[in-house]
């Protein structure tokens, strides 16, 4: 598996990105899904990575800068055929490493609450993320949950 910085407009990942956005919108009520499409992932405050097996894209993830000390994990997705094979864990590890290299003290993320999000939640909690209050522009709702990871070793 190779993980590399990529362009969200790369045609090779269009299917993976479209599946991610569609699944997020299908599993969360309108107005509570914050999945970014290619244009949102191309913003200057977002770094986008893809995971590859040879010429096949098998995963993606992004890191959005919130401020000088914190970032947000965005758009984590593993291709269906590759789920349960460590792609998400490798992508998350790459994002956490990049956040540490930037000197961030904390990472945040927002995810859904339906059973469809259970595998993602399991991945995040295994990596040390813990529940937190809404951050940034997010508001508390019954459709979203928020997690944080202290990159300096404290929770």
């Amino acid at each position: 598996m190779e993980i590399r910085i990529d362009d969200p407009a790369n045609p090779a990942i269009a299917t993976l990105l479209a599946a991610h956005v569609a699944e997020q919108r299908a599993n969360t009520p309108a107005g509570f899904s914050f999945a970014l499409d290619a244009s949102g992932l191309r913003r200057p405050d977002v770094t986008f990575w893809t995971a590859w097996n040879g010429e096949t894209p098998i995963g993606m993830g992004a890191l959005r800068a919130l401020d000088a000390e914190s970032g947000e994990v965005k758009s984590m997705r593993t291709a269906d055929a590759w789920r349960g094979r460590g792609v998400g864990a490798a992508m998350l590890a790459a994002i956490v490493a990049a956040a540490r290299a930037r000197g961030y003290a904390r990472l945040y993320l927002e995810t859904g609450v339906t059973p469809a999000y259970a595998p993602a939640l399991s991945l995040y909690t295994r990596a040390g993320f813990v529940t937190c209050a809404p951050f940034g522009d997010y508001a508390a709702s019954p459709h979203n949950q928020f997690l944080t990871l202290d990159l300096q070793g404290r929770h």
Side-chain angles (χ1 to χ4, degrees):
M1 174 184 347
E2 176 191 0
I3 295 177
R4 60 184 182 226
I5 291 177
D6 207 341
D7 180 347
N10 178 348
I13 59 106
T15 300
L16 184 64
L17 182 55
H20 172 69
V21 172
E23 183 175 274
Q24 301 313 301
R25 292 184 179 154
N27 285 299
T28 306
F32 297 97
S33 175
F34 303 104
L36 298 177
D37 60 12
S39 64
L41 291 167
R42 292 185 95 193
R43 295 178 2 187
D45 62 341
V46 176
T47 304
F48 179 73
W49 288 269
T50 49
W52 296 79
N53 178 40
E55 298 300 313
T56 304
I58 60 174
M60 64 182 201
L63 174 59
R64 179 178 160 236
L66 295 176
D67 55 42
E69 295 184 356
S70 62
E72 177 184 7
V73 176
K74 295 291 294 178
S75 301
M76 289 281 296
R77 173 76 180 200
T78 298
D80 291 345
W82 286 83
R83 289 188 177 177
R85 296 169 72 180
V87 176
M91 181 62 67
L92 185 59
I95 292 169
V96 169
R100 284 195 167 110
R102 292 179 185 184
Y104 289 171
R106 186 164 294 282
L107 273 178
Y108 294 93
L109 64 86
E110 172 277 330
T111 192
V113 298
T114 66
Y117 294 97
L121 186 59
S122 177
L123 170 68
Y124 300 137
T125 57
R126 280 194 317 270
F129 281 81
V130 296
T131 301
C132 68
F135 60 92
D137 295 334
Y138 293 108
S141 88
H143 308 292
N144 307 89
Q145 57 186 318
F146 306 92
L147 296 108
T148 187
L149 177 66
D150 185 331
L151 298 175
Q152 298 177 328
R154 298 181 313 270
H155 290 287

